[in-house]
Amino acid sequence: MRTRTRRIKIGLTSAAILLSSAGLGLTTASPASAACNVGSGIIRDTAWAHNPCSVKLYRKFVWGGAPDSPCYIFRPGDTKYNEKPANFRWATFDGMKSC
């Protein structure tokens, strides 16, 4: 029983160190990569995305059960729309991915 408790404590300590180092990495990263992200959602069969950041971002629409969209350049303030691919009736919008 003591070995199991010791392993759990070591695992929790390791996880805490990894999380704290990941947090440090985010604060030292460039502001564009740490704070900027495209906001997105879906209205019926059309997904939308908006770039509120002051830098351009490269993103694509990810569809579950259908091909993803091509890579789009989102300039500051841009909003783009992407319809669900034809012939993929049950496809779902899974979000955005950098490209």
Side-chain angles (χ1 to χ4, degrees):
M1 199 59 133
R2 284 184 121 166
T3 306
R4 177 183 272 178
T5 306
R6 186 174 295 157
R7 285 182 188 162
I8 291 172
K9 285 182 181 178
I10 290 171
L12 290 175
T13 304
S14 300
I17 291 169
L18 286 173
L19 287 175
S20 65
S21 66
L24 290 173
L26 284 177
T27 56
T28 58
S30 69
S33 63
C36 278
N37 204 357
V38 171
S40 63
I42 189 161
I43 302 171
R44 294 192 183 121
D45 289 342
T46 303
W48 62 270
H50 176 75
N51 179 11
C53 306
S54 59
V55 295
K56 69 179 172 181
L57 301 171
Y58 298 86
R59 299 287 190 267
K60 65 180 176 179
F61 293 86
V62 178
W63 294 95
D68 297 342
S69 74
C71 190
Y72 289 106
I73 299 172
F74 284 87
R75 290 185 172 72
D78 271 359
T79 300
K80 299 205 184 294
Y81 299 90
N82 186 260
E83 287 189 40
K84 182 183 347 181
N87 300 325
F88 291 95
R89 184 175 175 187
W90 304 109
T92 57
F93 176 61
D94 288 345
M96 303 297 291
K97 188 177 189 181
S98 56
C99 52

